[in-house]
Amino acid sequence: MTTSATDSLSRPLPHHVAVIGAAGGLGQGILSVCRAEGIGFTAIVRSRPERITDVPSGSRVAVVRSLADRATLTEAYSGAGAVLAVLGLTSTSHDRSALLSANMATVEESMFAAGVDRIIVINTMLASPPGRPASRAMRFFSWMPGTMGRGASEQQAVVDALGTGAFSSLRWTLVRAGVNSRGKDEGPVASADWDGALNSWFPVSYEAMGRWMLEEAAANKFVRAAPLVSRCRR
């Protein structure tokens, strides 16, 4: 299955989303699209809620200091039709409370309690689909020291958890994304895997990826799948 940028012209959008990691680059890109399209949002941050500005009526900021805090997560998810998890590992993300891989059961339980069953999780194009062995590239980067190695290990841990049944009660999508701050502002293509894909290794912008994720939250084309999402091959 492959979708192109032109498919997005008529695709529906959700009414309200909860964004975990809203203060990061991709999180801010998602919020920008939400503002432009009139989508309500709950911006979930660990600290410093003042970093989220221009919060429209019907939207809010929720401080969730730990992903192990079921009650606070449940409240943060209230009213959302989907959860977008765009967590990135930073130099301050040392404790388990900040890691999605270590708290997937709590995230799932909180979503169930809030009546939300749709989640879209960001990952890297280097990842294999859940249930398959880690790629050589992911193993290589996981061995590297510092934030890069820990980040690759965390991304692979999420993939492995999905492959062994995490989020089994949810309609999840793992986005193997080509995205960064210098990516081109164009609609990406999405493919189930590399065979026959139109995808290149080139990234799209945060806002372009954010729009695709919001569209997928409503379209449900890649439920329990791990699509490649990146710029179209030229």
Side-chain angles (χ1 to χ4, degrees), residues 84-148:
L84 276 56
V86 292
L87 291 163
L89 200 72
T90 68
S91 58
T92 61
S93 306
H94 289 288
D95 59 284
R96 287 175 58 85
S97 69
L99 301 179
L100 178 60
S101 65
N103 297 285
M104 293 175 78
T106 304
V107 170
E108 183 174 7
E109 292 163 4
S110 302
M111 289 180 61
F112 180 82
V116 187
D117 75 343
R118 184 72 171 110
I119 186 168
I120 300 183
V121 181
I122 203 71
N123 210 280
T124 173
M125 290 189 78
L126 298 176
S128 300
R132 297 187 192 175
S135 67
R136 289 184 179 179
M138 285 296 284
R139 293 197 300 271
F140 172 78
F141 284 109
S142 296
W143 294 330
M144 297 188 72
T147 302
M148 180 175 290

Side-chain angles (χ1 to χ4, degrees), residues 182-234:
R182 298 179 297 278
K184 192 166 184 179
D185 193 23
E186 67 177 40
V189 294
S191 306
D193 213 338
W194 285 108
D195 291 343
L198 298 176
N199 298 79
S200 72
W201 285 97
F202 292 104
V204 296
S205 68
Y206 288 141
E207 287 194 17
M209 184 61 68
R211 178 175 289 277
W212 187 92
M213 293 176 71
L214 289 163
E215 291 171 346
E216 173 57 24
N220 298 309
K221 287 191 174 183
F222 292 98
V223 173
R224 297 190 178 91
L228 301 161
V229 185
S230 66
R231 283 175 59 188
C232 185
R233 189 175 65 239
R234 302 304 184 201

